[in-house]
Amino acid sequence: MTETLVILGSTGSIGTQALDVCGRLGVNVCGLSAHSNIDLLESQINEFHPRAVCVMDAKRASEMKRRVGGVCAVVSGMDGLLEIASMPEADTILNALVGIIGLRPALAAIESGKNIALANKETMVSAGELVMRRAREKRVKILPVDSEHSAIFQCLRGNEGNRVKTVYLTASGGPFRKKTKDELKRVTVSDALKHPNWVMGHKITIDSASLMNKGLEFIEAMRLFDLRADQVTVLIHPESVIHSMVEYEDGAIIAQLGVPDMRLPIQYALAYPNRPESGFNRLNPLTCPALSFEPPDTERFPCPRLAFEAADRGGLLPAVMNGANEEAVAAFLRGGLSFTRIPELIEYVMGSYNNTDKKDYSADDVLDADKWARDRAREYLGDN
Ligand code: NDP
Ligand code: MG
């Protein structure tokens, strides 16, 4: 059970829900971070009284210092983020940053012996082997926050030592599940931001619409639970009631069910191994919708196929894929790339990358591969 927590990305969708959970559980919050939303950060400081906060943007950090100086220390930039990620009084760091920016803070937290509650899937996709190895060596826990991985983690408990046959990773299918290939060419940013079952940050909402979110989660599952690619099967499950399932050798399938509310997996990670009363809405089996499943259509949604390929070839290719996807999503959100060109851009960048045999990579290698991928993606975008 977490006693004292740092939240990286406290002003985001996961960060704000995590603070709600902290209030309910009585977890102390000693550090917070934001990129630039200092108004929300200020109200979080007033409510949770952290000893220090990081504002990534230097100008906003000076403004924050002017507002709360004396009450709370304010640091900034990557150095500030690393300082907050290794605060001595914290036992756990919730990494709710979005994107590969979360890699260095995650490693800093592990090096200083903190458990990590991990929402920041881009870090696990790009550098999962490195993160898991350092966590094992430092004997710290990586507690998944992503709802599917929290479900898998829960389904694995009590079955240690038994071989997993298949992990069924469920996906809602996103807002465009029923759209034809032609219709997908014309979808807008505001169409893509309307997720049927979850309210989340913009980046993951676009990833959910393109199904890249499931591609990222496929690799995240392989790294977190040491699975081969052929042990993970993606299933479209539009009701989002089953958050994922694990099938064992004997044919038994264990699933975790619940209403779609990220506070439950966040609470599970923070209260682990306990299950205190939550006060959240509950699933009523008598009124819950009939459950349905279908395979993903990788013809209309090529992103999962690209992730399977990156996972299969391994090395730094997942980092390249992730970097290209971050650029593609940013370009789509600012109106510089159509929805169906997101996978085209990623495929182009992955196709230009030859160096896939690097297995024993460092954080610098990952960040170099990420930068390489972003440069290629920008070249491609310049060509449009
Ligand atoms: P949001 O965009 O809502 O929040 C991101 C947070 O990170 C904000 O606090 C933001 O600060 C901060 N941030 C953004 N960019 C930077 C940067 N360059 N440097 C430092 N801080 C930065 O994202 P979500 O909460 O939706 O997602 C966070 C992570 O969790 C992602 O990896 C996502 O895939 C994963 N996840 C999210 C789920 C959800 O339901 N939202 C579900 C499962 C996983 P500011 O507010 O100032 O911009
Ligand atoms: Mg998820």
Side-chain angles (χ1 to χ4, degrees):
M1 168 90 194
T2 300
E3 283 182 10
T4 305
L5 181 71
V6 164
I7 303 179
L8 305 178
S10 64
T11 50
S13 161
I14 293 288
T16 50
Q17 294 180 84
L19 281 170
D20 178 86
V21 170
C22 288
R24 291 163 187 264
L25 293 179
V27 170
N28 299 316
V29 177
C30 66
L32 297 173
S33 92
H35 179 253
S36 52
N37 188 350
I38 56 173
D39 292 337
L40 181 54
L41 188 62
E42 184 179 7
S43 68
Q44 294 178 343
I45 293 170
N46 292 334
E47 187 176 351
F48 291 92
H49 313 293
R51 180 174 69 74
V53 298
C54 174
V55 180
M56 200 63 184
D57 181 87
K59 257 175 88 181
R60 296 287 173 100
S62 310
E63 167 66 10
M64 185 90 268
K65 224 178 256 176
R66 199 186 56 71
R67 292 196 203 172
V68 300
V71 171
C72 169
V74 181
V75 293
S76 89
M78 181 49 82
D79 287 347
L81 209 50
L82 298 179
E83 195 180 322
I84 296 280
S86 36
M87 284 178 76
E89 55 268 61
D91 52 85
T92 306
I93 307 297
L94 170 61
N95 188 341
L97 297 166
V98 59
I100 193 62
I101 194 87
L103 173 60
R104 287 216 183 274
L107 290 171
I110 293 170
E111 295 311 320
S112 51
K114 319 291 185 198
N115 292 327
I116 308 239
L118 188 77
N120 176 230
K121 64 188 78 180
E122 295 87 354
T123 282
M124 199 43 78
V125 169
S126 304
E129 289 118 329
L130 170 65
V131 170
M132 295 308 284
R133 190 179 70 239
R134 287 309 292 152
R136 265 193 311 276
E137 287 164 0
K138 297 294 289 186
R139 295 173 190 275
V140 301
K141 293 189 186 69
I142 307 287
L143 299 154
V145 167
D146 211 347
S147 58
E148 296 77 2
H149 304 77
S150 173
I152 297 164
F153 186 59
Q154 294 176 60
C155 297
L156 291 171
R157 258 182 90 188
N159 291 291
E160 294 77 8
N162 288 301
R163 267 174 29 114
V164 168
K165 184 158 171 53
T166 303
V167 164
Y168 290 104
L169 190 67
T170 54
S172 70
F176 303 146
R177 185 168 59 91
K178 294 197 170 146
K179 291 234 184 286
T180 64
K181 238 178 148 173
D182 246 23
E183 286 169 336
L184 285 175
K185 287 189 183 144
R186 291 186 295 276
V187 298
T188 64
V189 172
S190 79
D191 295 334
L193 287 175
K194 285 183 204 120
H195 194 279
N197 303 349
W198 302 91
V199 179
M200 310 178 285
H202 282 183
K203 198 268 179 175
I204 185 176
T205 306
I206 302 306
D207 285 342
S208 300
S210 70
L211 292 201
M212 180 50 101
N213 186 45
K214 223 35 64 174
L216 299 176
E217 292 185 354
F218 181 89
I219 301 176
E220 185 185 11
M222 287 174 64
R223 302 296 181 250
L224 277 169
F225 307 114
D226 198 17
L227 299 166
R228 297 184 312 274
D230 65 355
Q231 287 175 293
V232 186
T233 298
V234 172
L235 280 182
I236 304 294
H237 167 49
E239 299 80 22
S240 295
V241 168
I242 293 186
H243 298 307
S244 278
M245 334 186 234
V246 176
E247 180 186 8
Y248 290 91
E249 292 280 318
D250 60 359
I253 297 181
I254 302 185
Q256 188 255 327
L257 288 69
V259 294
D261 182 343
M262 282 308 297
R263 292 175 304 172
L264 185 53
I266 292 168
Q267 166 163 322
Y268 188 73
L270 298 185
Y272 178 82
N274 304 326
R275 290 183 178 276
E277 168 67 50
S278 70
F280 307 148
N281 283 342
R282 284 160 191 271
L283 181 74
N284 180 348
L286 294 175
T287 55
C288 106
L291 306 183
S292 63
F293 304 96
E294 58 192 65
D297 179 349
T298 52
E299 180 61 32
R300 279 182 306 138
F301 298 99
C303 284
R305 176 177 57 74
L306 298 174
F308 303 155
E309 185 193 328
D312 186 48
R313 288 169 59 197
L316 291 166
L317 194 58
V320 166
M321 180 197 76
N322 179 72
N325 182 54
E326 287 195 31
E327 287 295 318
V329 172
F332 173 70
L333 282 169
R334 65 173 181 263
L337 187 72
S338 70
F339 185 74
T340 46
R341 296 203 77 177
I342 293 175
E344 288 177 22
L345 188 163
I346 301 165
E347 190 156 27
Y348 163 80
V349 174
M350 285 173 66
S352 328
Y353 191 71
N354 303 317
N355 179 17
T356 55
D357 50 333
K358 197 157 176 104
K359 298 278 178 237
D360 204 14
Y361 53 76
S362 65
D364 283 341
D365 294 332
V366 172
L367 295 173
D368 286 348
D370 173 74
K371 182 176 179 313
W372 183 90
R374 287 171 190 271
D375 289 346
R376 296 293 80 68
R378 287 185 193 131
E379 269 170 30
Y380 177 98
L381 288 163
D383 288 346
N384 277 319

